[in-house]
Amino acid sequence: MKTWQEQIPGCFAGMTAPFAMHPNDEKRALAMMGTMQEQGVNWREAEAAIRDYLTAQNVTQDEMRKKMQRVEERLKPWLS
């Protein structure tokens, strides 16, 4: 089974699409969130890992802000 960190790309369609926009990406995001909850991952850990992924994908600062806003809206309520 993949770690939650390894599941991050699938939430962005394996590239830099909006977080969990497509139904398949949403399914992957829900699976990742379940793994994160089981492992007690907090928002700060998740945010850092997702920012690292997006940075590695060479997103601009403006794109980063937009993408992280969507991630926060959908992910932060599930994490401590």
Side-chain angles (χ1 to χ4, degrees), residues 3-69:
T3 66
W4 66 267
Q5 295 95 330
E6 293 169 333
Q7 294 175 28
I8 292 171
C11 301
F12 294 93
M15 50 185 165
T16 59
F19 182 80
M21 180 65 82
H22 187 277
N24 289 336
D25 301 340
E26 184 177 27
K27 287 178 190 175
R28 290 187 282 264
L30 289 170
M32 180 184 75
M33 288 189 283
T35 302
M36 294 168 114
Q37 285 181 317
E38 289 171 6
Q39 296 179 1
V41 176
N42 65 41
W43 168 243
R44 287 181 187 245
E45 292 173 284
E47 179 184 28
I50 293 168
R51 282 185 183 277
D52 287 347
Y53 168 74
L54 292 172
T55 298
Q57 299 301 308
N58 297 314
V59 300
T60 65
Q61 287 293 56
D62 189 49
E63 286 179 286
M64 178 73 76
R65 183 186 55 76
K66 290 175 187 173
K67 291 184 185 310
M68 289 308 297
Q69 180 178 349

